[in-house]
Structure formats: C-alpha cells, structure tokens
Amino acid sequence: MAKELLKATDVSEVFGGLKAVSDFNFHINKGELVGLIGPNGAGKTTAFNLITGVYQPTTGEIQFDGKSIVGLKPYQITQRGIARTFQNIRLFSELTVLENVKIAFHFHVKYGLLESVFRMGRYFKEEEKIEEEALKLLKIFHLEDKAGELAKNLPYGAQRRLEIARALAAKPKLLLLDEPAAGMNPQETKELMEMISWIRKEFGLTILLIEHDMSLVMGICERIYVLEYGMIIAQGTPDVIKNDPEVIRAYLGGEA
Amino acid sequence: MKYLRKNDFIMIGFAVVLFAVLQGLIAGRILSSFWQLNLLIVGINVIMAVSLNLINGYTGQFSLGHAGFMAVGAYVGVVLTTNFHLPFLAALVAGAVAAGILGFLIGIPTLRLRGDYLAIATLGLGEIIRIVIMNIDYVGGAAGFKGIPHHTTFAWVFFLMLFALFFIKNFVNSNQGRACLAIRENEIAAESMGVNTTKYKIMAFTIGAAFAGVAGVLFAHSFYLISPNSFTFMQSFNYLIMVVMGGLGSITGSIAGAFVVTFISAALASWPEFRMIIYALALILMMFYRPQGLFGYMEVTNMRIFRKIFKKGGRADG
Ligand SMILES: Nc1ncnc2c1ncn2[C@@H]1O[C@H](COP(=O)(O)OP(=O)(O)OP(=O)(O)O)[C@@H](O)[C@H]1O
Ligand SMILES: [Mg+2]
C-alpha cells in the first residue's frame, strides 16, 4: 500500500507561451489535509485541472493510488476516487439542490437502462438509497431545508457548501477544494472550516485545499505548498511557511 | 417513492378514458376523416416532439435533423410491409432499430460539436438522409413510394405514443436521465462528477432517433404514398417549434406543443403562408414574454391543481 495517495513528478503546463505550471513536484499522503496557496495567477487552479484531467500536462507524470492518471478523462479520474469543487461555482443551476447531489452518485448506482425505463429490478430500491444518502449529505452542510429549491436560488455561501456536498456524493478518496470560502463572511468561513475538518474525519478523506485566506490555511492544514509563477517556492508545516523569507516576500508581502 | 407509481396509475387511467372517448368519436363517425387523420398526426407529432425534447431539452444538444430519422423509419417500414409483406409490428421494430443505429453512428462524430455547430451538422445530416433516399430508385426516388398498406390505426398511434411518453419520462427520472440533465446544465461539472458525457449524449441521441423512426413508420402507414419531401428541413423545424413552444425539458410541454402546432397547421391548411407568419409571431412573442416555453421545466403532475385533485404532496415525476 502506497503511503502517497497523489504524486506529481515534474509536471508542466504551457498555455501558448505562458508556463502556468512548471516542474511541479509534490505529493499528498493518505489522510493528510494539504494547503496550496499563492498569489493570483500563480497556477493553483491549473494544478487542480491537471490532476482532474480537465487539462493534460504538457510534460510530467501524475500518479494516484500508485497508478498513472495522465491521459484519463475527467470522469474516469473521478471514478478512480478524486472529486473536486470549482472556484467559479459550477452547480447544475436549473436543477434542485437534491438533484445536484443525486447526480454525483452517478457511477455508484447499480441499475441499467432497462431497469430505468421499465421501472423494474433495482430501480426503486437504489433510488430510495440515493435519496437517503443525498439527504444525509445535505444535512451535514445545513442544506436539508433547501433540498427542493433550485440550486441557482441559493445564497452564495450555500452554493459553495452544496458544491462540497455534491463532490462528496461521488465518494472520493481525495477531495480537491478550490477556494471553498471565497466570498464568505468570517462567520461562514469559520463554520465551513469546522465542517471540512469534520467530514475529513467522518469520511476518512484526504484533502487538498486552495485558499486565499492565510489564517484559515494556517489554521487547519498540516502541510502547505506555496506556488508563485507556476513554481513551488516553499513547502512545509504552517510554522515553517510562516517564517520562510521567500514566502514572506512573494505572498505575504506587506502583511508580514 | 410510492407516489411515483401512484402518478403513473393516474396518468394511465386518464389515458384509457381519453382513448375510449376518442375511439368512440372515430367509431361513431362523429369526426370527419380530415380530423381523424389529424388525430393520428397529433399522436405521431407528440412522439416526434417528446423524442426531440430528450435530445434538445433534457440533454441540451441542439439537434435540427429529426425529420431525417423519421424518414429512415418510414422507408424501412414501408419496404418491409409493402415489398416483404411483414407484419406491422415487425416494421415498427425495424424502423426504430434502423433509425436508432443511424442516430448512434451519426452521434459519435457530431456530438463532439457544440451549440450552433451541432445544429448545422445535424441539419445537414437530415438533408443528406433525405437526398440519399431521393436517389434510391428501389424506394421510388423523388416520385415517392406508392402502394403502402394502411396499417396505422388510432389505437397503434395512441398506445405507441403512450409508450414513448412513459419511456422518456422514466428515462429522464433515472440515473441515466440525471446524467443527461447534468450535461445540459454544466458539461464540465457533469464530467467532474463521474458522468461519461459522450456516452450519455450518444445514448439520448440514439433513443431520440429510434422514437423518430417509430413515428416515421406510423406516419408512412397513414398514407398511400410517401415521398422524401415529407421529411424536409422544414419538418425538422416544425418539431423544434413544438418543443420550444411547449418548453425545452417538459414532457407536458411537448404534448401541448405538438397539439397546438398540429392544429394550427390543420386549421390553416389552405393558407400555408399564414402558418409560417403565425409561428414566427408566436415565437417572437414567446421570446419576449415566456422564453422558457409554455411549460418551462414544469410537468402537469407537479402542478398545484393536479396535486389538489389527487391529494398528493412531494415532488413527483412527469
Ligand atoms: N485555459 C487557459 N488558457 C490560457 N491561459 C490560462 C488558462 N488557464 C489558466 N491560464 C493562465 O495560467 C495562469 C495560472 O492561472 P490559474 O487559474 O491556475 O491561477 P490561480 O493560482 O488559480 O489564480 P487565482 O488565485 O486567481 O484563482 C494565469 O496566468 C492564467 O491566466
Ligand atoms: Mg484559481
């Protein structure tokens, strides 16, 4: 059993002339909560898109659970056990909150086309099970009262929480969160962080978190990678990162 | 979950009563043969609209070549019944399979395209199908195929329409259907939730094409003669109007759209120019006042009045 759940080796991504990510080397161990920080345009989201197969790396290798995932389609990578949220929320906006979560159970559902259209076999049992599990997830994120509402009508913070609930429905081993607290007020952010810690224990998750809010990252992450101009300029525990001169220069800037 | 089945029973009960009434009107010769034929056409158009809705409304793929698949079903069907004297049911199955296979084969390359490009590609393919048929002498070419046995009865149309409605309703309310809805809503997110988007686009397209094939067989056997001109781009456009008017993503809407458009066409049969003006005006008004179509995403079974009558809460499916 590999201790490293995710491992990227010399990964680069070039957009035209721009090296959005270069010589990216990093790993996440099973059960860790790792932060990925860096200034705007540093390449954080690009790193997520590379891991989830939205982009293909120009060079380099990415392994998940000991196997290469380079070249796989995003849905195949999700089926291997990586789920994500999006920085620019991508909910199924004209569908209800409950339907949003149900969709993410997609590849765990065990009935076929004939059972669907003729309402036979496992159809009713499986649908009941999905509904139950989906409601359970909504409850964790305080969305159970909103189950019947259209996703687009949720307030912003609730939409972000729904994105996480939906990602969890895919039953991932590794959860990638892209700025889950963006646009939330401090109170909401605090609650969200508690939820993240809680689901991590409850579901035995490994989490990679992109976040702008430094105090938040420092508060819950065990290890942090700092990106600047597509390159990792520092890594280590929050204490190490806080005192790293490179990081202070590049990222904390005036704050430090 | 039980309410799903309850709604089904209510709908089937309603359908049986409706069938009895209409069949009575036909048997009692109360309806003129003109309106009898239009009743068949309404049913066939409902099948066309609801199957196009699966592709355009539920899966969000803009297809404009539905009449092409209908033509394939029609011609396969009439060859089997007229030239090979096979039973009608065999023709129906063969028409569905042929159109479905063609839909599958066409879907693989074209569904990579998005939006306008897909619309143009499917429009072109619909026309290609028609022109190919026009050049096959075996089926009569441009002059058309003559001597078709009059197999299509109101019962065939009605119950196949019911079958199509239930099939597609159940499909969209299943795991597979949810995958299609997810594609419509946000393809990147759907893929990120583990949905093989290519597979489900092709699945929706194939099912839609197969039902268009069934509609084609029914349509062809309502007449003595069919010609490739019955399946032009204008026909595809008509089906699109039905779906858009009724509401992309509503089965109730497709039924309503098929009714309205068929009866407007029938009522204005002698003034075809008028018809296009009325459609155009209706669509323009719709864009201003009700862009989501008559029903939007709404189903009759979800409406307050329906729930009041049948005393049942909760979100039901079509
Ligand atoms: N598809 C693309 N095509 C071209 N350039 C891109 C593409 N995606 C990202 N980039 C560029 O790559 C760089 C890194 O972008 P990325 O979105 O990964 O940054 P980020 O660290 O997530 O920033 P933010 O904090 O603003 O979210 C930016 O300069 C961006 O403009
Ligand atoms: Mg980003």
Side-chain angles (χ1 to χ4, degrees):
Chain A
M1 198 178 86
K3 213 180 134 239
E4 286 169 345
L5 187 60
L6 186 76
K7 185 175 156 88
T9 319
D10 299 329
V11 173
S12 295
E13 177 72 7
V14 181
F15 293 121
L18 176 83
K19 263 200 160 180
V21 163
S22 52
D23 298 324
F24 206 56
N25 281 293
F26 85 105
H27 70 274
I28 305 171
N29 295 325
K30 277 201 176 120
E32 265 190 316
L33 202 173
V34 175
L36 183 59
I37 62 174
N40 284 106
K44 304 180 296 293
T45 299
T46 304
F48 268 27
N49 285 334
L50 288 168
I51 296 168
T52 53
V54 176
Y55 299 153
Q56 291 300 324
T58 313
T59 58
E61 167 68 6
I62 304 172
Q63 291 200 330
F64 179 68
D65 232 356
K67 285 189 216 101
S68 175
I69 53 170
V70 174
L72 294 183
K73 299 235 173 72
Y75 80 90
Q76 292 170 314
I77 291 175
T78 308
Q79 297 192 358
R80 293 266 180 105
I82 302 180
R84 72 176 292 182
T85 65
F86 295 91
Q87 180 176 358
N88 50 342
I89 302 177
R90 286 181 183 275
L91 290 170
F92 305 123
S93 41
E94 296 286 346
L95 304 181
T96 65
V97 169
L98 182 63
E99 282 166 327
N100 266 270
V101 177
K102 278 184 176 180
I103 284 166
F105 283 105
H106 177 74
F107 65 97
H108 296 288
V109 174
K110 295 184 215 52
Y111 63 78
L113 182 58
L114 283 181
E115 285 165 297
S116 292
V117 293
F118 296 112
R119 295 279 159 96
M120 313 178 301
R122 291 165 290 189
Y123 175 83
F124 284 105
K125 235 178 129 191
E126 282 281 297
E127 283 292 305
E128 252 163 68
K129 201 178 92 191
I130 297 163
E131 179 144 343
E132 203 175 290
E133 286 186 43
L135 286 171
K136 232 185 257 169
L137 282 173
L138 289 180
K139 197 156 184 188
I140 293 172
F141 292 92
H142 309 313
L143 290 166
E144 73 270 33
D145 306 333
K146 305 252 164 76
E149 266 180 52
L150 293 187
K152 66 172 181 189
N153 294 336
L154 289 185
Y156 194 73
Q159 292 196 2
R160 288 232 173 260
R161 294 202 303 276
L162 178 55
E163 276 234 336
I164 304 177
R166 185 179 67 172
L168 283 180
K171 302 183 185 171
K173 293 180 200 143
L174 174 65
L175 179 63
L176 308 180
L177 301 173
D178 198 344
E179 305 202 17
M184 286 188 177
N185 64 39
Q187 177 59 26
E188 282 179 312
T189 305
K190 193 168 155 279
E191 280 171 18
L192 180 75
M193 287 306 133
E194 280 160 14
M195 273 177 211
I196 291 174
S197 302
W198 188 84
I199 56 166
R200 178 190 172 202
K201 276 199 212 91
E202 181 72 14
F203 295 94
L205 283 173
T206 306
I207 298 177
L208 178 61
L209 174 79
I210 295 178
E211 195 43 79
H212 265 304
D213 187 329
M214 285 298 282
S215 64
L216 189 157
V217 182
M218 298 291 174
I220 68 168
C221 293
E222 284 142 14
R223 221 150 48 78
I224 294 169
Y225 284 94
V226 186
L227 265 183
E228 191 194 18
Y229 298 120
M231 278 181 288
I232 294 174
I233 57 165
Q235 61 156 309
T237 60
D239 282 335
V240 173
I241 297 297
K242 245 181 254 171
N243 301 315
D244 189 301
E246 272 289 284
V247 178
I248 292 169
R249 178 196 58 75
Y251 191 70
L252 301 177
E255 280 175 48
Chain B
M1 270 295 155
K2 288 237 174 57
Y3 62 80
L4 294 186
R5 278 175 269 196
K6 188 179 170 193
N7 272 349
D8 286 351
F9 284 126
I10 295 170
M11 280 315 185
I12 291 171
F14 176 72
V16 168
V17 172
L18 183 67
F19 176 74
V21 170
L22 291 173
Q23 188 66 50
L25 289 178
I26 292 168
R29 294 179 191 286
I30 295 164
L31 283 180
S32 70
S33 60
F34 175 78
W35 286 107
Q36 276 186 36
L37 178 64
N38 270 298
L39 214 50
L40 296 186
I41 302 296
V42 167
I44 291 166
N45 286 348
V46 168
I47 300 177
M48 289 301 286
V50 78
S51 58
L52 184 64
N53 203 349
L54 175 63
I55 302 167
N56 287 25
Y58 288 102
T59 317
Q61 306 302 304
F62 198 168
S63 168
L64 257 180
H66 220 44
F69 298 117
M70 190 186 195
V72 171
Y75 273 88
V76 167
V78 295
V79 166
L80 292 181
T81 53
T82 316
N83 296 5
F84 293 92
H85 308 290
L86 289 184
F88 192 40
L89 186 62
L92 285 162
V93 172
V97 170
I101 289 175
L102 192 68
F104 177 79
L105 294 176
I106 287 177
I108 292 171
T110 49
L111 290 169
R112 288 168 189 275
L113 303 172
R114 272 159 225 264
D116 307 349
Y117 296 102
L118 178 63
I120 291 165
T122 49
L123 187 153
L125 283 161
E127 285 296 282
I128 289 170
I129 293 172
R130 187 174 66 85
I131 289 162
V132 166
I133 292 173
M134 212 179 244
N135 286 290
I136 301 175
D137 289 334
Y138 180 70
V139 294
F145 191 104
K146 292 185 199 65
I148 305 165
H150 197 290
H151 283 321
T152 302
T153 61
F154 179 64
W156 274 113
V157 171
F158 190 86
F159 287 106
L160 282 173
M161 175 189 82
L162 215 55
F163 177 76
L165 289 172
F166 270 85
F167 189 104
I168 288 171
K169 173 194 77 89
N170 285 352
F171 179 83
V172 298
N173 288 290
S174 73
N175 192 40
Q176 292 85 357
R178 278 196 299 267
C180 293
L181 292 172
I183 293 169
R184 174 189 78 195
E185 289 297 312
N186 194 317
E187 207 169 324
I188 293 179
E191 186 91 7
S192 289
M193 293 305 128
V195 173
N196 181 349
T197 52
T198 312
K199 173 178 156 185
Y200 287 99
K201 280 191 218 171
I202 293 173
M203 188 185 280
F205 202 67
T206 306
I207 293 173
F211 275 111
V214 172
V217 179
L218 290 170
F219 179 79
H221 292 83
S222 311
F223 301 97
Y224 173 76
L225 173 144
I226 55 165
S227 90
N229 289 330
S230 315
F231 308 102
T232 56
F233 152 69
M234 283 314 294
Q235 270 320 105
S236 291
F237 190 65
N238 257 343
Y239 302 126
L240 186 71
I241 291 176
M242 294 174 198
V243 174
V244 172
M245 252 189 201
L248 284 156
S250 164
I251 290 172
T252 313
S254 291
I255 300 171
F259 260 90
V260 171
V261 171
T262 313
F263 281 114
I264 291 179
S265 303
L268 298 178
S270 339
W271 306 281
E273 316 72 28
F274 255 130
R275 212 178 72 192
M276 291 325 285
I277 294 172
I278 288 184
Y279 288 166
L281 281 178
L283 284 177
I284 290 169
L285 286 176
M286 202 103 151
M287 270 185 272
F288 278 114
Y289 296 106
R290 211 168 156 76
Q292 71 273 44
L294 291 175
F295 286 85
Y297 291 132
M298 203 60 192
E299 297 296 354
V300 65
T301 43
N302 287 336
M303 288 179 182
R304 205 169 296 149
I305 177 159
F306 181 90
R307 288 203 215 141
K308 221 173 231 163
I309 296 170
F310 297 104
K311 282 254 160 63
K312 199 65 228 178
R315 194 193 145 93
D317 70 348

